Amino acid sequence: MQLKNDLLLRAARGEKTERTPVWLMRQAGRILPEYRAVRDSVSGFIELAQTPELAAEVTIQPVDLLGVDAAIIFSDILVIPEAMGLPYEMVEKRGPWFPETVRTESDLKKLRVADGENDLKYVIDAIQITKKALNGRVPLIGFAGAPWTIFAYMVEGSGSKTFSKSREKLYRDPVFSHKLLQLITDSTINYLKAQIRAGANLVQIFDSWAGILGPEQYREFSLKYISQICDAITEVPVTVFAKGAFFAREEMGQLNCETVGLDWNMGIAESRRLIGGEKTLQGNLDPAALYGNPDQVRAATIEMMEQFRGSRHIANLGHGVYPDIDPEMVKVFIQTVKEFK
Ligand code: CP3
């Protein structure tokens, strides 16, 4: 189907666009009262994510209510461990929790490589329903966690400030670590390819815990696997967002991907110099800037846009939008990008 608004895809490929496309990481859910109403009609996040009609509905809400240039499928990065045989729970106000963790060779033996179409059928169905309902209005973004970030949750069993159990594994048992990372990588490639077959127009890899590794470990335990994914996905543009990986920007420029995401600690001019001219950059307004008043949000957005001027850019925040941000300020951010000349 022909897309009516393909700004995101053209910007990702480095083609000319009339204006800069804009969307927000974590736009589906979190901030919209309309999302909370749908979520409160079921038992919680997991049931919502596993009910394709409802997942499609909350995926489209930000397109209707905020006017973003892309939809991102409503799901979570933690569906992959579950599809590999490690189920998770979403504990209200505390986040994800795994009743069992993966720390030994015998734990590894209980896992399987996920098959996207069968093990994650509810996501694939949600993508198909969303595509139909969007009717070509904007592109649909598929996504997955980067292998290192997924590894961190599978070993740790929950979120953590230090992920010290996961990082312990890298030092004490690199063989185990590489085996688990490879299982996750193979599952993720299957999953992303299934999302693309179902209609995802672009895919993004979220490496949310990139910043807790040092440069050498990041290369060995994360970039190596992200690179396998980038090489395997040739059907649609790929975006890699590695939060906190300022030290790896030069290497990110060498990945087989179209777009590199920047967080707000990464200087724009410096990032462009390190990453090179062959990539689109996505980001990178501080999510906390949206706590300002409309004039402040407008000024901060214009300042960001000025710094990206004249180079390949997709406007976004430097991380996911915070749950207590006023949707009106999100609209000011989006409108300011759209009007920027
Ligand atoms: O971008 C989107 O809006 C699409 C949906 C999406 C969700 N999670 C829905 C969700 C995406 C892209 C994610 C990615 C995700 N999930 C990441 C990577 C991005 C990042 O923020 O760094 C990570 C690390 C997770 C893991 C996760 N899921 C955590 C830590 C939590 C709890 C706290 C939180 O972030 O809200 C979740 C739950 C989750 N995932 C919710 C939503 C809408 C909140 C659940 C609820 O409605 O109560």
Side-chain angles (χ1 to χ4, degrees), residues 23-31 35-36 39 44-46 48-49 58-59 62 72-78 88 90-96 141 143-145 149-150 153 159 204-209 241 243 319-321 323:
W23 68 284
L24 285 84
M25 292 187 276
R26 310 298 296 271
Q27 67 187 17
R30 278 194 160 178
I31 51 165
Y35 163 75
R36 276 178 229 124
R39 198 196 58 182
F45 171 81
I46 293 186
L48 177 49
V58 298
T59 298
I72 177 162
I73 191 66
F74 183 82
S75 183
D76 198 82
I77 61 169
L78 300 175
Y88 70 105
M90 207 55 95
V91 185
E92 197 67 39
K93 300 218 155 47
R94 295 200 48 203
I141 301 172
F143 72 90
T149 288
I150 298 300
Y153 281 107
Q204 174 158 328
I205 301 164
F206 287 89
D207 205 357
S208 304
W209 296 107
F241 172 63
K243 170 124 193 352
H319 197 194
V321 61

Side-chain angles (χ1 to χ4, degrees), residues 77-78 80-81 84 98 102 144-158 160-174 176-186 188 205-229 240-245 247-248:
I77 61 169
L78 300 175
I80 275 286
M84 295 169 66
F98 289 87
V102 183
W148 156 246
T149 288
I150 298 300
F151 173 102
Y153 281 107
M154 291 175 86
V155 173
E156 207 80 26
S158 66
S160 158
K161 278 211 176 90
T162 56
F163 280 97
S164 53
K165 298 253 176 338
S166 325
R167 294 194 297 121
E168 172 189 333
K169 276 287 164 205
L170 305 186
Y171 286 95
R172 290 205 173 166
D173 205 345
F176 163 95
S177 299
H178 281 299
K179 275 190 204 157
L180 178 52
L181 285 163
Q182 192 62 56
L183 279 174
I184 299 168
T185 301
D186 295 344
T188 302
I205 301 164
F206 287 89
D207 205 357
S208 304
W209 296 107
I212 60 173
L213 296 182
E216 261 138 54
Q217 281 196 328
Y218 191 66
R219 192 173 303 128
E220 183 181 350
F221 295 107
S222 187
L223 266 183
K224 188 167 146 188
Y225 296 96
I226 291 176
S227 172
Q228 284 185 33
I229 298 171
V240 177
F241 172 63
K243 170 124 193 352
F247 46 79

Side-chain angles (χ1 to χ4, degrees), residues 306-341:
E306 288 291 357
Q307 291 184 66
F308 279 108
R309 188 190 281 286
S311 91
R312 296 169 59 170
H313 181 214
I314 296 167
N316 207 309
L317 302 179
H319 197 194
V321 61
Y322 297 143
D324 60 344
I325 290 291
D326 178 357
E328 287 308 312
M329 292 308 125
V330 174
K331 286 188 200 165
V332 173
F333 168 69
I334 291 167
Q335 206 47 40
T336 306
V337 172
K338 287 185 171 178
E339 286 165 6
F340 183 78
K341 292 239 157 54

Side-chain angles (χ1 to χ4, degrees), residues 1-4 129-138:
M1 186 199 300
Q2 194 71 26
L3 284 167
K4 292 171 196 110
I129 295 170
T130 304
K131 285 290 287 186
K132 239 189 222 144
L134 277 176
N135 195 25
R137 275 195 290 159
V138 292

